[in-house]
């Protein structure tokens, strides 16, 4: 049921991992660099390729801010909640 919900229906999983931002407000690029441990160039590429969603909304700007409680999706299979 969970698999169908996430992959067939495109909904968020019931349980999300938390990623600590230590209370800071980060740009999407800074957040992706820390969470996925990738370079800024790779993070920008993911944004340009429309592979990043915040709170189920497509990210179109490198300046998008990530705040505590935001849900971030990278590609179809990676989800995390900013804590």
């Amino acid at each position: 049921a969970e698999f169908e919900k996430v992959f067939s229906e495109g909904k968020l999983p019931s349980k999300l991992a938390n990623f600590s931002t230590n209370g800071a407000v980060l740009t999407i690029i800074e957040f992706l660099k820390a969470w996925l441990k990738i370079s800024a160039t790779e993070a920008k590429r993911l944004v340009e390729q429309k592979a990043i969603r915040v709170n189920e909304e497509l990210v179109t700007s490198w300046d998008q801010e990530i705040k505590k409680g935001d849900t971030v999706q990278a590609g179809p299979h990676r989800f995390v909640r900013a804590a």
Side-chain angles (χ1 to χ4, degrees):
E2 182 76 5
F3 180 86
E4 288 177 10
K5 175 183 150 189
V6 174
F7 296 103
S8 296
E9 299 171 20
K11 296 183 179 167
L12 292 175
S14 304
K15 297 179 184 176
L16 287 174
N18 288 323
F19 184 82
S20 177
T21 60
N22 296 321
V25 176
L26 303 174
T27 66
I28 189 65
I29 301 304
E30 294 167 335
F31 185 84
L32 292 173
K33 283 172 51 180
W35 172 41
L36 298 175
K37 297 176 180 39
I38 59 176
S39 69
T41 303
E42 181 63 21
K44 288 177 181 178
R45 189 175 303 123
L46 288 172
V47 171
E48 288 174 353
Q49 292 174 347
K50 298 182 170 124
I52 306 298
R53 291 182 176 273
V54 174
N55 299 326
E56 300 187 57
E57 304 245 342
L58 191 63
V59 173
T60 56
S61 168
W62 297 343
D63 299 329
Q64 169 104 25
E65 291 184 341
I66 304 299
K67 301 173 289 302
K68 183 176 182 176
D70 284 348
T71 302
V72 180
Q73 178 181 356
H77 307 294
R78 294 182 285 189
F79 301 89
V80 73
R81 178 170 287 126

